[in-house]
Amino acid sequence: MRIELNETLKATYRAAAENLQGSARRKFMAGIVQSLGSGGQTYCARELGWDPKTMRKGRQELESGLEFADRPSNPGRKRVEERLPNLIKDLKQILDGQSQTDATFQSQRLYTRLSVREVRIQLIDRYRYTEQELPNDEVLRQRINDLGYHLKTVKKNQPKKKIAETDAIFARLIQEHEDARKDESVLRLSMDAKATVNIGPFSRHGKSRITVKAADHDFQPEAKITPFGIYLPDYGECFLYMASSKVTSDFIVDCLTSFWETIRSRFPKVTTLLINSDNGPEAHSRRTQLMRRLTDFADQQQLTIQLAYYPPYHSKYNPVERVWGGLEQHWNGSLLDSIDAVLAFAQSFTWRSKQPVVTLVERIYESGVKLSQKAMAQLEQRFDRLSGLEKWFVTISPIPT
């Protein structure tokens, strides 16, 4: 005659078995089976969820007095992320400053100048990994590709020109970016404008799952919008300003002011903004109106401004360019036939799982505003330019209030 177990006993037996291991667990299960009498094994398998093989093995151990050796678990080698928890972060830091986006914006994939072997060398030199603990080159290659980087350079994306200072500029950029990551008083941001968008029923050469009919010819656009972006590389956050006017020095600093007033409460310890940009006509460090407005901004906000420019012909290495690649992929299968459509697509866009803050700037900006040589000479005394790289690295310190 088999004894029936109530729910309390069932729960007790299950918990007891889970707290035991190896032979002790098997013999406990076999003992319960024996106490239940005929059909006890089938009953325990059904009501307690115990494995019949385990119960039979426990019965053999009880009857023989011997304990069977447990087979050692063999889960295989741990994934490299488990063995080296900081590896992915360190890979991103090495590659982030060395990569550029697809110049045609047809892909969000990044193209890097570093080989896998060079990445390995930098991991060892900069982050103190050993050759023995690092995975082989194939595993490194897979992890780099998984991060969105691609080690095969597309020829048309290669910068066609290189100036004498290019390598020195990149070396300095890498150093400043690393210093900023370690210093909570420094906030790094990347800013630049995207190509102007013509508003109208024009094809953007993308693909769509629904039928989209564009105009047969690109006639005069109804309006134009120029996206300007401020991107926080270390946080993956985008702030997009849609300009219906020209992107001028005044527009750039007005956007910077709006951006800082939006986020300053989140960064109470920040006293320095490290700004990555290219040397475009409205944003270079010899642009008198830009430098005057940035100096005023530094004084008003009591912030130190560090300008760090990418070298000529290498603007695609600027992190905000990757955002533009994503945005183009997002809307290039659609018709941007109104300003509202542009804003709606920008607002529905996500980058690194975050949606951007989108602002339409309708103010009309006047181009050609500049300082006299005498005024600029006086203002220049406020700047600390890096010797040998004066055009690319400039610090503006505020006058204490």
Side-chain angles (χ1 to χ4, degrees), residues 214-234:
D216 189 35
H217 299 284
D218 289 354
F219 47 83
Q220 185 68 24
E222 300 171 12
K224 293 184 178 181
I225 287 288
T226 303
F228 179 82
I230 297 179
Y231 174 55
L232 301 180
D234 295 328

Side-chain angles (χ1 to χ4, degrees), residues 1 39 75 94 126 160 226 260 267 295 302 321 328 338 386:
M1 180 178 178
I94 289 172
R126 292 168 56 184
K160 296 180 179 179
T226 303
W260 179 243
F267 300 97
T295 303
Q302 288 296 290
E321 295 288 347
E328 189 62 39
S338 69
L386 182 64

Side-chain angles (χ1 to χ4, degrees), residues 48-62:
L48 301 179
W50 290 351
D51 183 4
K53 292 182 180 179
T54 303
M55 291 184 280
R56 283 197 296 271
K57 191 172 182 180
R59 187 186 63 195
Q60 293 173 4
E61 288 178 312
L62 284 177

Side-chain angles (χ1 to χ4, degrees), residues 294-361:
L294 284 175
T295 303
D296 292 344
F297 172 78
D299 291 341
Q300 292 164 3
Q301 304 295 338
Q302 288 296 290
L303 287 170
T304 298
I305 305 299
Q306 287 182 239
L307 300 177
Y309 291 96
Y310 284 87
Y313 316 110
H314 293 73
S315 63
K316 297 303 177 185
Y317 288 86
N318 197 1
V320 73
E321 295 288 347
R322 299 162 199 171
V323 179
W324 298 143
L327 181 60
E328 189 62 39
Q329 285 282 302
H330 177 66
W331 69 21
N332 70 2
S334 305
L335 294 183
L336 303 180
D337 54 1
S338 69
I339 292 177
D340 287 342
V342 172
L343 296 176
F345 274 107
Q347 289 166 346
S348 64
F349 165 61
T350 59
W351 180 256
R352 288 175 61 177
S353 301
K354 298 177 182 178
Q355 290 184 305
V357 177
V358 181
T359 304
L360 175 64
V361 181

Side-chain angles (χ1 to χ4, degrees), residues 17 23 25-34 36 39-63 68:
S23 178
R25 180 170 181 268
R26 293 191 295 269
K27 288 192 287 187
F28 170 78
M29 295 165 71
I32 297 300
V33 168
Q34 287 182 351
L36 293 175
Q41 181 172 297
T42 302
Y43 179 81
C44 286
R46 184 180 70 250
E47 299 296 329
L48 301 179
W50 290 351
D51 183 4
K53 292 182 180 179
T54 303
M55 291 184 280
R56 283 197 296 271
K57 191 172 182 180
R59 187 186 63 195
Q60 293 173 4
E61 288 178 312
L62 284 177
E63 293 174 351
F68 298 117

